[in-house]
């Protein structure tokens, strides 16, 4: 099979589309949508800002600390299983948010732990891991494309969820029912269209047969690529790892603080929830342009 014919039938682009849909849904509702729904919930059930922030903090902590577990699940059971299990956990958490949560400790347990661990399994880490299995020469392009899903989700979903919960925020439970249905759909998409690796469908990364050399008409490389398989102990000894970790932490702290408290903060100055939701969309739009 020639490189050209292999590339024309390369499943990786369909994989990328499926991953985009999965990431869009799983970033839209338990992350950006939650900024709207949880603000409405806090007003409805009388949660203070400390409890609201604690739930968001625990959610992100669980999604981050679950990374080693996510890696093991991907290695042992595959990307598809990680996405399905994560979506199922978010779906369960959304159902509990819609039907059970009425006090602070329930919100912290359900949103912070169940939804947080679920997002860790079916969020950015798993999606990026899958992309790296399918793409080598075009990895940077593929990663950039799939990561636009969260930016598009952040731009489109907050205003929609604000319309769902209403100006008084009394329909926030309906919002979580919608989130449960959407994450169930993401599990179906993962089950039907996501493959664990190119080998599962008899292909190789980029759709290029093994031993095929790069085309002579390819443009000069603008990014560094290496075939080195980095081990954890080697990676953590590099300054680049710690610079990336420090920078990501600083950005995340500011970003997540606004996701958790932005709408309530603006309302304390007399702005409407619609203005707060629009501000989340604007942040996501800026992020999308950067990506």
């Amino acid at each position: 099979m020639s490189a050209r014919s292999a590339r024309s039938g390369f499943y990786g682009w369909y994989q990328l589309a499926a991953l985009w849909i999965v990431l869009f849904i799983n970033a839209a509702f338990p992350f950006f949508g939650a900024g709207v729904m949880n603000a409405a919930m806090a007003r409805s059930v009388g949660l203070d800002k400390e409890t609201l922030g604690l739930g968001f903090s625990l959610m992100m902590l669980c999604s981050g600390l679950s990374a080693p577990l996510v890696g093991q699940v991907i290695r042992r059971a595959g990307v598809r299983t990680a996405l399905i299990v994560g979506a199922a956990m978010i779906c369960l958490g959304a159902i509990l948010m819609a039907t059970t949560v009425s006090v602070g400790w329930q919100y912290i347990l359900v949103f912070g732990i169940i939804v947080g661990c679920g997002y860790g399994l079916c969020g950015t880490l798993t999606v990026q891991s899958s992309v790296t299995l399918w793409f080598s020469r075009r990895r940077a392009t593929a990663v950039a494309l799939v990561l636009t899903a969260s930016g598009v989700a952040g731009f489109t979903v907050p205003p929609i969820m604000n319309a769902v919960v209403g100006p008084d925020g009394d329909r926030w439970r309906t919002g979580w029912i919608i989130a449960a249905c959407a994450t169930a759909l993401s599990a179906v998409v993962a089950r039907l269209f996501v493959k664990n690796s190119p080998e599962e469908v008899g292909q190789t990364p980029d759709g290029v047969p093994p031993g095929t050399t790069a085309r002579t008409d390819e443009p000069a490389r603008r990014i560094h690529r290496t075939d080195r398989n980095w081990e954890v102990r080697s990676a953590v000894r590099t300054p680049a790892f710690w610079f990336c970790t420090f920078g990501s932490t600083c950005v995340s702290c500011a970003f997540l603080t606004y996701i958790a408290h932005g709408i309530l903060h603006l309302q304390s100055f007399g702005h409407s929830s619609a203005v707060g939701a629009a501000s989340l969309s604007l942040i996501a739009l800026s992020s999308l342009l950067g990506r």
Side-chain angles (χ1 to χ4, degrees), residues 11-37:
Y11 189 82
W13 298 111
Y14 299 99
Q15 176 90 353
L16 198 69
L19 293 172
W20 194 97
I21 294 172
V22 170
L23 184 59
F24 173 88
I25 293 174
N26 294 330
F29 296 99
F31 194 66
F32 291 102
V36 177
M37 294 183 289

Side-chain angles (χ1 to χ4, degrees), residues 250-266:
C250 292
V251 171
S252 296
C253 286
F255 181 65
L256 295 174
T257 297
Y258 194 82
I259 294 292
H261 296 288
I263 293 180
L264 287 180
H265 181 68
L266 289 175

Side-chain angles (χ1 to χ4, degrees), residues 200-234:
E200 188 174 318
V201 290
Q203 296 186 349
T204 57
D206 296 312
V208 179
T212 302
T213 58
R215 298 184 309 175
T216 57
D217 60 342
E218 284 187 340
R221 296 180 180 179
R222 293 184 173 88
I223 60 172
H224 174 69
R225 286 202 302 261
T226 177
D227 294 327
R228 178 175 177 178
N229 186 18
W230 284 86
E231 296 181 351
V232 174
R233 67 180 64 186
S234 298

Side-chain angles (χ1 to χ4, degrees), residues 70-261:
V70 173
Q72 289 298 315
V73 172
I74 293 174
R75 188 170 69 86
R76 295 178 181 273
V79 168
R80 183 170 55 242
T81 297
L83 294 175
I84 293 173
V85 172
M89 292 182 68
I90 295 177
C91 184
L92 172 62
I95 292 172
L96 291 175
M97 289 291 291
T99 59
T100 303
V101 172
S102 59
V103 294
W105 70 266
Q106 294 173 340
Y107 156 71
I108 292 172
L109 174 64
V110 173
F111 183 74
I113 298 178
I114 298 177
V115 174
C117 291
Y119 183 72
L121 279 165
C122 64
T124 305
L125 175 60
T126 304
V127 168
Q128 284 186 290
S129 298
S130 179
V131 171
T132 61
L133 293 175
W134 283 86
F135 294 90
S136 178
R137 296 177 183 175
R138 300 182 180 181
R139 183 174 297 167
T141 300
V143 170
L145 286 173
V146 78
L147 289 184
T148 62
S150 58
V152 174
F155 177 65
T156 58
V157 170
I160 294 174
M161 297 313 297
N162 184 69
V164 170
V165 302
D168 298 325
D170 54 349
R171 297 193 299 272
W172 61 273
R173 294 188 186 273
T174 302
W176 278 112
I177 292 174
I178 294 174
C181 295
T183 50
L185 175 62
S186 78
V188 173
V189 172
R191 177 64 182 86
L192 294 177
F193 300 107
V194 172
K195 310 300 180 184
N196 288 324
S197 67
E199 289 76 18
E200 188 174 318
V201 290
Q203 296 186 349
T204 57
D206 296 312
V208 179
T212 302
T213 58
R215 298 184 309 175
T216 57
D217 60 342
E218 284 187 340
R221 296 180 180 179
R222 293 184 173 88
I223 60 172
H224 174 69
R225 286 202 302 261
T226 177
D227 294 327
R228 178 175 177 178
N229 186 18
W230 284 86
E231 296 181 351
V232 174
R233 67 180 64 186
S234 298
V236 298
R237 292 174 180 170
T238 63
F241 174 86
W242 293 107
F243 277 121
C244 289
T245 300
F246 177 74
S248 178
T249 301
C250 292
V251 171
S252 296
C253 286
F255 181 65
L256 295 174
T257 297
Y258 194 82
I259 294 292
H261 296 288

